[in-house]
Amino acid sequence: MRKQFISVLLALGVMGSLAACTPDTGTGEPTATPGATSASPGSTPGTSGPVSPEPGTSEPGTTPPDAETTAPAPAPPAPAPLPSGPGTGNAELAITVKPSQDGTAVNYTLVCNGGAPVAESQHPSAAKACAALKGNPAILNQPAPRKNVSCTQQYGGPQVATVTGAVDGTPVETTFMLRNGCEIGAWNAAKDILGSAGGAV
C-alpha cells in the first residue's frame, strides 16, 4: 500500500514539473517560443513576401523619372535660303573677316533701309553693299555643291569671312572661304558686302 502511495506522489511530482516548464496562456494554445516567427498561410517556411523598393530607388529594369539622359540635343534647323532676284534692301548684318586662322579679325556693321545705308553702319563701302543686297540678297546664301557641277581644285587663300544677322526679315548665318573654285566664286559675288578686307580674289 505504501509503495502505491509513493508511486502516486512521484507521478504527481513529474506532472507538476512539466506544467511549470510550459506556462499556460489561458487560451489552451501552445505558447510561441521567443525569437521564432510564424509563416503566413500559403508561404514557404524561410521565405518572405514581395519586398517594396525603398524610397528614392526604383525597381530593376526601370528608369527613375528624374534620371538625366545622355542623348544629345537635336541640332537647330539651318536658316532658310534667301530668295534670288531683287529684294527690299533692308538688312542688319555683322561681318567678320579674318586674313588667316591666327590673324586679327576685321569687323564691320552694315544696316540698310530700302537699299541705302543708315547712320549705324560702320562699313567701308556701305552704299555699294546695301545696293548689292537689294539687287540680289541670295548672294549671302551658304555656297553649296550642285549636282553635275565640279568645283575646280584651286586654293584662294586662308581668309575666312562670316556674315550673321537678317536680310529682308530672313535670318542669315553664312561662312565664306576660299578652298576651291566654287567658294572663290561665292566670295567674289559677295565682295561688296565683305568690305575692303574681303575684296575679290
Side-chain angles (χ1 to χ4, degrees):
M1 183 73 179
R2 180 178 295 180
K3 290 182 178 181
Q4 292 180 350
F5 180 74
I6 293 173
S7 298
V8 170
L9 288 177
L10 289 175
L12 289 174
V14 171
M15 292 180 61
S17 299
L18 291 175
C21 292
T22 307
D24 188 5
T25 60
T27 60
E29 298 292 334
T31 304
T33 304
T37 57
S38 59
S40 59
S43 62
T44 303
T47 62
S48 58
V51 179
S52 300
E54 296 181 3
T57 61
S58 60
E59 295 182 2
T62 61
T63 302
D66 57 347
E68 295 184 3
T69 59
T70 57
L82 292 163
S84 299
T88 60
N90 299 321
E92 293 185 11
L93 299 174
I95 303 157
T96 300
V97 181
K98 292 186 67 174
S100 63
Q101 183 177 1
D102 300 326
T104 302
V106 179
N107 299 300
Y108 303 123
T109 300
L110 181 65
V111 182
C112 308
N113 186 11
V118 299
E120 292 89 340
S121 293
Q122 296 179 355
H123 194 281
S125 54
K128 293 176 66 174
C130 289
L133 283 174
K134 184 176 182 179
N136 184 17
I139 58 177
L140 288 184
N141 284 336
Q142 183 71 47
R146 292 175 294 172
K147 292 182 178 180
N148 302 323
V149 174
S150 55
C151 300
T152 57
Q153 299 302 307
Q154 60 184 115
Y155 181 68
Q159 297 94 319
V160 178
T162 59
V163 181
T164 59
V167 175
D168 296 340
T170 300
V172 173
E173 186 175 353
T174 307
T175 300
F176 293 90
M177 290 184 282
L178 300 166
R179 299 172 300 181
N180 56 52
C182 295
E183 291 184 350
I184 292 172
W187 183 292
N188 290 337
K191 61 182 176 57
D192 290 332
I193 298 162
L194 301 181
S196 57
V201 178

